[in-house]
Amino acid sequence: MKKYFLSAAVLFLMISKTQACAWYDPDYEYFNLFTQSIIKDKTYLPFLHTLSNRFYGHEHFEIPDENIENWQKYFGNTLTYKETKTLVEQLPTGELNAFKNGNSNNLLLKKTGSYTDHAEGIDYLIEAKYLEPYMRINFVENPNSFYYTPDQADRNATDLDYRKTVAALKSLYAATQNPDIKLRYGYQLVRFNHYTRNYAEAVNAFKNYVEPLKIKSAPYFLALDQLAGAQRGLRQSDEANWNFFQVFMNSKSRKESAFVSMKLSDSATFDHLLERAETPKEKNMAYFLLGYDDYSDPIPVMKKMLEIDPTSEILKVLAARSVNELERHYLQIDVGAPAGDNSSVIKAKPSTQTKTKGERTLSFWQKLKNFFLKLFGSKESAAPEKDNLPSTEDLVNNPNRLPVYSKDESLSDEPVKNFLDEFQKITSEIKEKSPDEFWQITDAYLSFLQKDYKKSTETLTQIKTNNPEYIAEIDRMKMLNDIVSAPVITPEVENELLTKYPKIFESVFAKNDSETFYQDANEPSTQEFITDILANRYFLQGEEGKSFLMNNRLSDLQYNPNVKLVKSVEDFTTKPNKTALEEKIISKGVDDVGNIPAFFNVIYGDGEMRQANFEKAKSFYAQAKDFSGIPRTEYTWNGDGAPTVSKIAFGNAYNGFSHIPSLIFGHNAWESFQSAPDVSMKAENLSEFPFIKNEMNKLELSAALIELKKIAQGSGQKASRANQLIGNLLYNTSSLGYFREIFVMDINNEGGPKYHFYNYEEPQFNYYFKDFARSSFVEPDNFDVAISYYQKALDESEDHEQKARLLFQMASAEQGKYYQYEAKNPVQLRYDDPQYEEKSQAYDKKMAAVENEKYRTYFSELKKNYSQTQTAQALKGSCSYFDYFMKR
């Protein structure tokens, strides 16, 4: 068993990049603009380019089985392909026997006529269905093997009586008159001997019962496949490879298994195939296998194939693979998360230029920014003002409107060749010799990668074809050229795109409900490329709100409730006289937040509350009465693997606006975010402030705070308590407080990026807002605001117990300031530093000194002047650090 898993692991590492996430799929990291599957011979679809599976496209297509087609012909085409497949592979033997005996009511069999019309075929199927459960080779386990031993109840060919089975098949072969059915009995003889490991007898059976019939139909290649397997068992490797090669070349449905069965491990194997190849078809196929197996540079092999047959279908297969390989390097899909988010796996490409004196070293994110400025043809400024935009001339002439070739450095240090120029030369040569429009389409796409959009469009315009797949690809590529070549996306450009390519844009801006979004969010496509290009153009044009909605849903603003961006998005949603394309953007992404103005106003109000601007917050909350709750969805997994998506029903729980308990004015009994509110929090005495309700919405809460603020501006003990309550609320809703979710568009206080102190810099979206929700951010807490209210409370108080509590609260807020300082001054060490331990200890000592000197002001005062209070003694029991500090 160990060997099995190790082999699988090695195979995975060989065919894909190493990624941290188990669900990583390398076929989802580029845009997939060129449709490989437009090749006409669909039997070669498995051999198109993929990194996700052994072969391409099993989830998308089923290759017709020539064996079923052969049976369909035998029955005089009275059955459809599907019906024939059912009869041959699924119909029980009992049904066939009943039909033979004249007492069957099976409609499928009746369609073929009577039993006597196809007696030999029906008899053969009865025999074949009897044999089929046994037709596998017997497993012989190595005593030292770690492989999983299959269930011993599984049947195999050795479970049948060898002599009786062979005798029966020979007798049936001799009695059969129809040569096609006779051939099938010959196939069964070869297969049975192969699977019983009578390899020499399998070879003899092929010579005596298959070859003499001189029929090279589907059963012949089934038999040849078994012959090759027997030859492999006899260690006749060259003969086995040649016969598997013949199966690969002539069979439609067994190409994959034949390819796997061939041992194409060295150049000598290919040399042997080429030596035996006599016909142009055989030579071409041998070169194809060489090009398929050794894929670092397809050009030499394509030149050989061009000399043999420029109209070859397999030459198109190799070309389609080559285009796909180039596209993976030119059009990678992941633009990365914004600066400050470590979830991105993008690599910065090192410069090959020598730095001149005085030249600064670019940071990782500056390099990444520069790369994407080249990617989309912008200047240095990010989200520029409209009057600072590059000129139309600059944009048109920018040579870097699409990315340059990017070497994949994840698997090997070996240089990866960019063969685009050579490939375009040979493609141009082939299109002059082959009448297939495939080569013109390919040539146009390569011009697109070369950023020569004019030439690409001219080539596409000249193509005349009736092939629907070709037509779809041509239309898509024309549209891509139109979009990427437009320096500025104006309303006129938008309308032209919608008019010329309505079907494509219908799929781009299809209504995107939660379930569809979940299923299709990561699927690379032409639609996603169009979305990204347009989003970037709008971003560079200063239309941030419009750019945001190209890649995101309105509800995504909850993860980064940036007021400036929110305002831009709101301005766009309320913009009058929208273009048709803008209306389609709106319909795609703004239907999941309920009342849209209420959604915006909650965000604005929360921002003001965090800064203690209670009056402004109230004015926003007054416009958010119809807020239906923070838009969150949940997934219920069904037996078929597809989730049922539904919006979370909050009931009487906090929903982003309502059901806020008065405990928000309390203080910690102990710090536990997972405990119930009345366990973690202790209420203050609110009897003097009857306007504070037991449960409030944000409008009521802001009104209560305005009243408290008025009282707090006075003097005396009541003013002190009012200031204390405001301070408590501000601390409790900070990243350290139990109610930290209240003003950051979250639904509970569970941990997350919004509460991480190292996440102190606002994400910088320098290109557009793709993957906006991958980084979650809110403005860092201003603990000084809470401390200022506590200080006013302290100044007005004459109660020592209250003062002790206030100083502890102030010390807690001050600790938050230290955490912010610590996050901005992380240790700069490498794990492989030989002095790592020593430097790490020095850093810890330095930070401890800073903490004690600058961020222990209120703890020190509490210890010095109020250590004997009942409050201080109680705090030592509930706060271990305070107890430690008091004993120092």
Side-chain angles (χ1 to χ4, degrees):
M1 193 66 178
K2 292 179 181 177
K3 291 180 183 177
Y4 176 83
F5 284 116
L6 285 174
S7 298
V10 170
L11 176 62
F12 179 78
L13 289 174
M14 289 293 289
I15 66 172
S16 66
K17 292 185 192 178
T18 304
Q19 298 286 340
C21 298
W23 45 259
Y24 168 70
D25 187 338
D27 279 354
Y28 282 78
E29 63 179 9
Y30 71 110
F31 284 108
N32 197 21
L33 302 184
F34 185 88
T35 307
Q36 296 185 85
S37 58
I38 63 173
I39 60 171
K40 291 178 181 177
D41 189 342
K42 304 305 182 185
T43 65
Y44 287 100
L45 287 177
F47 298 91
L48 295 173
H49 196 23
T50 178
L51 294 177
S52 299
N53 301 295
R54 184 69 174 87
F55 295 101
Y56 172 85
H58 285 280
E59 68 277 18
H60 300 305
F61 64 86
E62 179 181 358
I63 295 175
D65 187 338
E66 65 269 32
N67 180 48
I68 301 300
E69 291 175 337
N70 187 270
W71 276 112
Q72 193 177 3
K73 181 180 178 181
Y74 172 80
F75 286 114
N77 294 313
T78 56
L79 302 177
T80 65
Y81 176 89
K82 185 177 180 181
E83 289 171 334
T84 308
K85 188 176 178 68
T86 300
L87 189 154
V88 173
E89 296 181 354
Q90 299 175 21
L91 203 66
T93 307
E95 289 284 353
L96 293 172
N97 279 315
F99 183 64
K100 179 177 180 178
N101 296 326
N103 53 10
S104 172
N105 292 318
N106 187 283
L107 298 178
L108 200 61
L109 289 170
K110 285 186 175 182
K111 286 184 67 174
T112 66
S114 66
Y115 164 72
T116 56
D117 292 334
H118 305 99
E120 290 184 339
I122 298 298
D123 288 344
Y124 169 80
L125 286 172
I126 291 171
E127 179 67 15
K129 287 177 181 286
Y130 166 73
L131 294 174
E132 192 59 33
Y134 301 92
M135 286 302 104
R136 57 182 55 83
I137 203 162
N138 61 318
F139 178 78
V140 179
E141 184 176 10
N142 186 316
N144 298 318
S145 175
F146 287 97
Y147 285 99
Y148 170 69
T149 303
D151 189 342
Q152 296 300 317
D154 286 351
R155 290 177 287 185
N156 62 73
T158 60
D159 293 328
L160 295 171
D161 185 294
Y162 177 78
R163 293 181 180 276
K164 288 183 178 180
T165 304
V166 169
L169 288 172
K170 287 181 178 179
S171 176
L172 290 165
Y173 179 91
T176 300
Q177 300 300 312
N178 186 301
D180 289 318
I181 303 302
K182 188 183 284 284
L183 178 61
R184 291 187 179 278
Y185 283 118
Y187 154 66
Q188 293 289 358
L189 279 164
V190 179
R191 181 167 71 152
F192 181 66
N193 278 292
H194 174 205
Y195 286 165
T196 55
R197 299 184 188 274
N198 292 292
Y199 300 132
E201 289 302 317
V203 174
N204 289 331
F206 187 85
K207 291 179 179 179
N208 296 327
Y209 298 100
V210 176
E211 281 188 334
L213 296 175
K214 300 185 184 301
I215 302 174
K216 292 193 175 181
S217 59
Y220 171 84
F221 290 105
L222 289 173
L224 188 65
D225 191 39
Q226 295 295 325
L227 169 66
Q231 289 169 330
R232 182 79 70 205
L234 293 170
R235 300 180 185 275
Q236 297 172 0
S237 297
D238 288 345
E239 290 300 319
N241 267 358
W242 178 252
N243 286 322
F244 280 129
F245 175 68
Q246 293 295 323
V247 175
F248 177 86
M249 187 167 56
N250 293 285
S251 172
K252 292 192 292 185
S253 62
R254 300 194 61 78
K255 290 189 187 297
E256 294 177 34
S257 64
F259 177 82
V260 171
S261 297
M262 280 187 279
K263 305 296 182 182
L264 305 175
S265 56
D266 51 44
S267 59
T269 306
F270 287 104
D271 290 342
H272 176 73
L273 289 178
L274 285 170
E275 287 172 4
R276 293 192 63 167
E278 296 179 353
T279 68
K281 180 181 178 181
E282 290 175 339
K283 291 178 181 179
N284 220 19
M285 191 64 69
Y287 278 121
F288 168 77
L289 291 176
L290 176 61
Y292 180 85
D293 195 64
D294 181 17
Y295 199 63
S296 59
D297 183 0
I299 306 303
V301 171
M302 291 184 68
K303 287 181 179 178
K304 291 285 187 181
M305 295 175 69
L306 173 59
E307 292 174 4
I308 297 170
D309 183 7
T311 65
S312 168
E313 188 70 14
I314 53 176
L315 183 55
K316 290 194 292 183
V317 177
L318 210 56
R321 288 174 54 85
S322 301
V323 174
N324 188 267
E325 175 68 13
L326 286 168
E327 185 177 320
R328 288 170 185 268
H329 288 280
Y330 275 91
L331 298 173
Q332 296 182 7
I333 197 169
D334 192 354
V335 303
D341 181 13
N342 295 324
S343 65
S344 175
V345 295
I346 287 194
K347 304 183 292 293
K349 196 173 182 181
S351 173
T352 57
Q353 298 177 347
T354 304
K355 287 192 296 183
T356 59
K357 185 177 180 180
E359 181 180 350
R360 66 187 180 92
T361 301
L362 296 180
S363 69
F364 169 83
W365 289 106
Q366 185 61 43
K367 291 176 181 178
L368 183 61
K369 175 182 176 180
N370 290 345
F371 174 81
F372 278 98
L373 289 170
K374 291 180 179 180
L375 165 60
F376 290 112
S378 74
K379 296 272 187 175
E380 279 294 315
S381 62
E385 297 297 330
K386 292 185 179 181
D387 56 356
N388 292 327
L389 283 172
S391 68
T392 300
E393 183 179 357
D394 288 340
L395 288 170
V396 169
N397 295 325
N398 193 315
N400 297 310
R401 294 184 64 77
L402 289 176
V404 295
Y405 188 81
S406 174
K407 173 190 170 188
D408 179 0
E409 299 173 335
S410 59
L411 294 178
S412 172
D413 292 331
E414 293 296 320
V416 180
K417 183 178 180 181
N418 179 7
F419 53 85
L420 175 57
D421 290 335
E422 290 183 73
F423 185 58
Q424 190 162 33
K425 290 178 183 177
I426 192 171
T427 300
S428 297
E429 185 178 350
I430 297 172
K431 79 173 185 177
E432 298 301 324
K433 298 180 179 180
S434 172
D436 197 314
E437 298 89 356
F438 170 88
W439 297 107
Q440 295 169 277
I441 295 172
T442 302
D443 187 55
Y445 187 76
L446 297 179
S447 295
F448 169 79
L449 291 184
Q450 294 274 35
K451 298 175 281 294
D452 192 342
Y453 311 123
K454 181 179 179 181
K455 180 182 176 183
S456 178
T457 300
E458 288 175 351
T459 302
L460 293 168
T461 304
Q462 294 170 5
I463 299 174
K464 307 298 181 183
T465 181
N466 294 320
N467 185 313
E469 288 185 304
Y470 287 179
I471 292 172
E473 183 69 21
I474 291 167
D475 286 345
R476 179 161 55 249
M477 289 174 58
K478 284 181 178 179
M479 179 197 58
L480 294 177
N481 283 322
D482 284 348
I483 292 176
V484 298
S485 61
V488 179
I489 307 299
T490 63
E492 291 74 22
V493 171
E494 290 179 355
N495 291 331
E496 181 181 357
L497 291 172
L498 288 174
T499 302
K500 290 174 67 175
Y501 313 108
K503 290 185 178 180
I504 298 175
F505 272 92
E506 282 176 12
S507 60
V508 173
F509 301 116
K511 186 174 176 62
N512 200 359
D513 59 30
S514 298
E515 184 167 0
T516 304
F517 180 79
Y518 173 84
Q519 292 171 343
D520 298 338
N522 294 320
E523 185 175 343
S525 63
T526 302
Q527 287 76 12
E528 188 164 357
F529 179 80
I530 295 168
T531 300
D532 286 2
I533 288 291
L534 289 176
N536 178 258
R537 294 291 188 268
Y538 295 137
F539 185 89
L540 298 178
Q541 292 167 202
E543 301 176 77
E544 289 192 350
K546 188 172 177 179
S547 175
F548 173 85
L549 288 171
M550 289 296 301
N551 290 107
N552 304 280
R553 304 170 71 79
L554 187 56
S555 58
D556 290 336
L557 288 170
Q558 66 185 284
Y559 302 107
N560 293 284
N562 175 296
V563 172
K564 179 177 178 291
L565 175 59
V566 172
K567 185 65 172 70
S568 181
V569 175
E570 182 185 25
D571 288 345
F572 176 69
T573 61
T574 57
K575 172 185 173 183
N577 302 319
K578 295 183 181 68
T579 67
L581 190 145
E582 289 174 338
E583 289 289 358
K584 291 178 181 294
I585 296 172
I586 292 292
S587 66
K588 176 174 71 83
V590 302
D591 59 345
D592 61 341
V593 300
N595 185 288
I596 295 174
F599 177 76
F600 289 131
N601 279 293
V602 168
I603 294 178
Y604 297 145
D606 287 351
E608 298 298 341
M609 288 289 273
R610 288 168 58 80
Q611 299 301 318
N613 298 323
F614 307 129
E615 293 81 2
K616 286 185 178 180
K618 182 184 176 184
S619 67
F620 286 119
Y621 289 147
Q623 301 175 68
K625 294 178 182 178
D626 295 327
F627 184 70
S628 59
I630 293 176
R632 294 286 175 90
T633 53
E634 57 186 353
Y635 301 93
T636 304
W637 297 93
N638 305 318
D640 59 0
T644 298
V645 186
S646 57
K647 287 189 176 182
I648 291 177
F650 292 96
N652 292 324
Y654 172 69
N655 69 350
F657 187 75
S658 303
H659 307 295
I660 303 170
S662 60
L663 273 174
I664 197 170
F665 290 104
H667 62 264
N668 281 99
W670 69 318
E671 187 173 297
S672 173
F673 290 104
Q674 290 75 38
S675 299
D678 57 354
V679 174
S680 285
M681 302 296 293
K682 184 175 181 181
E684 302 286 359
N685 184 354
L686 301 177
S687 59
E688 293 181 283
F689 312 103
F691 49 82
I692 297 178
K693 300 178 181 180
N694 290 333
E695 185 176 278
M696 298 162 281
N697 61 35
K698 286 184 175 179
L699 178 60
E700 295 167 328
L701 178 61
S702 61
L705 284 162
I706 291 172
E707 292 300 316
L708 281 174
K709 188 176 178 180
K710 291 176 183 177
I711 298 170
Q713 291 170 351
S715 59
Q717 198 63 35
K718 186 173 182 180
S720 174
R721 282 191 286 271
N723 278 292
Q724 181 179 9
L725 292 179
I726 296 174
N728 282 354
L729 177 133
L730 293 173
Y731 176 79
N732 290 336
T733 55
S734 73
S735 55
L736 293 178
Y738 182 85
F739 294 98
R740 58 188 179 181
E741 76 276 15
I742 298 297
F743 300 133
V744 295
M745 289 296 282
D746 209 344
I747 60 175
N748 55 50
N749 63 17
E750 293 177 2
K754 287 181 179 179
Y755 314 123
H756 293 166
F757 282 94
Y758 63 76
N759 193 21
Y760 60 86
E761 289 187 350
E762 181 181 329
Q764 297 300 308
F765 294 90
N766 296 322
Y767 327 108
Y768 54 110
F769 297 100
K770 186 173 183 178
D771 299 322
F772 181 85
R774 277 175 53 178
S775 60
S776 189
F777 174 83
V778 292
E779 288 286 343
D781 296 298
N782 187 349
F783 288 101
D784 284 329
V785 178
I787 290 173
S788 68
Y789 278 98
Y790 283 137
Q791 185 65 57
K792 293 175 187 176
L794 189 68
D795 294 342
E796 294 296 330
S797 178
E798 298 178 356
D799 185 334
H800 278 222
E801 295 296 335
Q802 183 192 16
K803 287 186 175 185
R805 165 59 63 186
L806 284 165
L807 285 168
F808 182 80
Q809 293 296 110
M810 295 167 79
S812 298
E814 190 176 42
Q815 183 68 18
K817 293 179 65 176
Y818 169 72
Y819 291 145
Q820 291 174 337
Y821 170 83
E822 184 181 49
K824 293 179 181 180
N825 296 274
V827 60
Q828 301 292 335
L829 280 177
R830 292 174 57 93
Y831 286 111
D832 58 354
D833 190 326
Q835 294 182 301
Y836 177 84
E837 190 73 22
E838 179 183 340
K839 292 180 179 179
S840 180
Q841 290 177 358
Y843 169 80
D844 291 342
K845 184 177 180 180
K846 173 188 173 183
M847 296 305 290
V850 171
E851 184 176 18
N852 287 320
E853 291 172 10
K854 297 183 178 181
Y855 298 98
R856 286 289 176 263
T857 309
Y858 305 110
F859 264 150
S860 297
E861 186 176 350
L862 178 57
K863 178 180 180 180
K864 178 181 178 180
N865 298 320
Y866 301 94
S867 59
Q868 300 306 314
T869 61
Q870 292 181 6
T871 300
Q873 295 302 313
L875 284 169
K876 288 195 293 184
S878 61
C879 178
S880 59
Y881 183 82
F882 180 66
D883 182 46
Y884 164 77
F885 184 85
M886 294 289 283
K887 292 177 180 178
R888 291 177 59 194

